Amino acid sequence: MTESIGLPSFGAMAEKVGLRRKREAALAGAEDETDWAGLLVRVRDQQDRAAFAVLFRHFAPRVKGYLMKSGAGAALAEECAQDVMAVLWQKAHLFDPGRASVATWVFTIARNRQIDALRRARRAEPEALDWGPAPEPDQSDALALQEETALLGQALAALPGPQRVLIERAFYGDLSHGEIAAETGLPLGTIKSRIRLALDKLRRQMTNRDDGRT
Amino acid sequence: MTIRHHLSEPLLMAYAAGHLPEAFSLVVATHLSLCDDCRARAGAFEAVGGALLDAGNETAMGDQALDRALARLDGPLPPQRPEARAAGIFPAPLAGYVGGDLATVRWQRVGGGVRQAILPTGKGAMARLVYIPAGKAVPDHGHQGIELTLVLQGAFADAAGRYDRGDVEISDDAVVHTPTALAGLDCICLTAAEAPLRFRGLIPRVAQRWLRI
């Protein structure tokens, strides 16, 4: 089940959304430049360099920005952003638009590069799931996920400034070990409870949207 | 297998964000390999990371960055780590650190039939495999900061409850616990502790008791 793997706590709602009309519209209009998943599928299936170039123009500067916020200097961030985009090309065969958005996928590659290059540490990855016999590519999964991704982006943008900043900091901040103690929750720190509030709000916002639309 | 003791949200978020010390990320990745529920929750946090990235600040790439990227696609690409495979009771990430299955582990005795093996991870935290014979207890041990204990085989119980394969206990330094392996299979756990503990085997037993490590 895609939903249970991708984004359940934020995303179970997309299940409820079930807006067939919208999906059909998305299918019809999927050729525009911001169909990142479609572009990455073209990279995956046809080694399409033009599609790669569009992805590069959008994501490379964002990856560089993320890496600099995480503490990299400009030159290192530029190099690592190049690496991230090269990995995107190299691993495109693993991309499944029903399981993750392109932004999420790029984020995980960038995060791992950050750990590797900036922190000089290793990161343990969970075991790859056995998906069983290759499933038919399911377009409705992919569209549901795209829709959910858009909702998440909107919910994030709608968060009040301070809460948004807290979530950003939790993701981007290069935390000291003392702060990790607060971050990882024990002993309970104010940071933790505030982040929790922000996340709750994010969830509520997405749930409300769904309710309003079904 | 029903997992009843899961990872906390802050831990999953820190893992998704890439902020955990390596030893903790090993325990988290090993738990996620056994727990679809936590894997899905971690995936949700990665989606938040993706949304932040997408909405985040752009920092212009250098001149000819795209040309460089395209030229690179023809040349050698960054090498990828080979993916580890599960081995016996060890899910893939742990098998990768151990370098094999249970038979590969080089245990050191720490008294009372309890054995441990320290795994090679980066600074800031330490990962260990702990072997507790069925029915035996690990001596009281306090620790600095957070300790995660993930059961791989058998089961243990302490004041906080019963832990079976896949369950993870999160305890802080306020807790002095005496995990006791339950009857049946010997209990094998993976632990991560925030501050490196002193190796028990190197310290005289009397001092050990006195220091409560």
Side-chain angles (χ1 to χ4, degrees), chain A residues 123-127, chain B residues 7 15 24-34 39 91-94 150:
Chain A
R123 174 193 161 86
E125 292 286 344
E127 198 161 309
Chain B
L7 290 165
Y15 178 73
F24 280 79
S25 82
L26 174 59
V27 178
V28 171
T30 305
H31 177 77
L32 298 194
S33 302
L34 298 169
R39 185 196 285 262
L94 179 55
L150 170 67

Side-chain angles (χ1 to χ4, degrees), chain B residues 1-4 31 33-36 151-152 164-167:
Chain B
M1 183 174 67
T2 310
I3 292 174
R4 285 164 302 148
H31 177 77
S33 302
L34 298 169
C35 181
D36 290 344
V151 179
L152 300 161
D164 292 274
R165 176 167 163 88
D167 284 334

Side-chain angles (χ1 to χ4, degrees), chain A residues 3-11 36 49-50 52-54 56-66 68-70 77-79 81-87 89-91 101 103-108 110-111 114-116 119-129 149 152-153 156 164 166-175 177-178 180-187 192 195-196 199-200 202-203, chain B residues 8-34 36-37 39-74 76-81 83-87 90-94 96-97 120 122-125 145-148 170-173 194:
Chain A
E3 312 75 50
S4 69
I5 297 308
L7 325 153
S9 37
F10 295 101
W36 309 122
R49 283 164 182 258
F52 175 82
V54 178
F56 186 95
R57 282 191 211 100
H58 181 76
F59 285 106
R62 285 171 170 77
V63 169
K64 186 175 176 182
Y66 158 71
M68 289 181 70
K69 268 193 188 167
S70 301
E78 172 104 11
E79 267 329 291
Q82 285 280 358
D83 293 342
V84 168
M85 297 310 290
V87 170
W89 174 270
Q90 189 177 34
K91 286 197 162 178
S101 74
T104 300
W105 205 60
V106 170
F107 168 73
T108 59
R111 170 200 65 197
Q114 185 259 121
I115 293 171
D116 225 27
R119 301 231 321 257
R120 298 185 188 285
R122 236 176 108 184
R123 174 193 161 86
E125 292 286 344
E127 198 161 309
L129 286 179
T149 304
L152 181 56
L156 205 56
R164 201 194 132 94
L166 263 176
I167 291 192
E168 265 185 23
R169 203 180 146 261
F171 270 86
Y172 292 163
D174 189 17
L175 302 176
H177 288 137
I180 286 172
E183 208 65 53
T184 49
L186 295 167
K192 180 196 163 193
I195 288 176
R196 176 180 291 269
L199 288 170
D200 285 349
L202 196 56
R203 286 199 188 92
Chain B
S8 67
E9 197 150 81
L11 271 169
L12 287 169
M13 182 162 168
Y15 178 73
H19 291 151
L20 288 181
E22 191 178 341
F24 280 79
S25 82
L26 174 59
V27 178
V28 171
T30 305
H31 177 77
L32 298 194
S33 302
L34 298 169
D36 290 344
D37 183 39
R39 185 196 285 262
R41 287 159 66 214
F45 281 115
E46 288 181 338
V48 174
L52 284 169
L53 177 84
D54 207 43
N57 290 347
E58 295 177 50
T59 304
M61 294 287 284
D63 293 342
Q64 275 103 47
L66 178 58
D67 292 340
R68 283 179 54 215
L70 288 168
R72 222 177 133 171
L73 301 181
D74 298 320
L77 289 163
Q80 300 291 312
R81 276 209 179 86
E83 210 168 86
R85 313 187 67 145
F90 297 159
L94 179 55
Y97 274 79
K123 290 179 299 186
I146 300 161
E147 186 181 61
L148 300 181
I170 306 170
S171 56
D172 69 14
D173 46 12
E194 216 177 330

Side-chain angles (χ1 to χ4, degrees), chain B residues 135-156:
Chain B
K136 299 272 188 198
V138 173
D140 278 4
H141 67 296
H143 38 78
Q144 294 172 34
I146 300 161
E147 186 181 61
L148 300 181
T149 306
L150 170 67
V151 179
L152 300 161
Q153 176 189 294
F156 76 82

Side-chain angles (χ1 to χ4, degrees), chain B residues 161-202:
Chain B
R162 178 196 165 112
Y163 296 81
D164 292 274
R165 176 167 163 88
D167 284 334
V168 63
E169 179 176 48
I170 306 170
S171 56
D172 69 14
D173 46 12
V175 179
V176 175
H177 53 160
T178 311
T180 304
L182 300 177
L185 284 174
D186 293 342
C187 183
I188 299 173
C189 298
L190 172 66
T191 71
E194 216 177 330
L197 301 171
R198 261 166 279 197
F199 301 169
R200 301 162 51 113
L202 300 179

Side-chain angles (χ1 to χ4, degrees), chain A residues 33-48:
Chain A
E33 178 174 285
T34 53
D35 175 21
W36 309 122
L39 288 163
L40 188 47
V41 165
R42 270 159 59 192
V43 169
R44 181 190 73 187
D45 295 344
Q46 296 145 44
Q47 290 78 53
D48 184 330

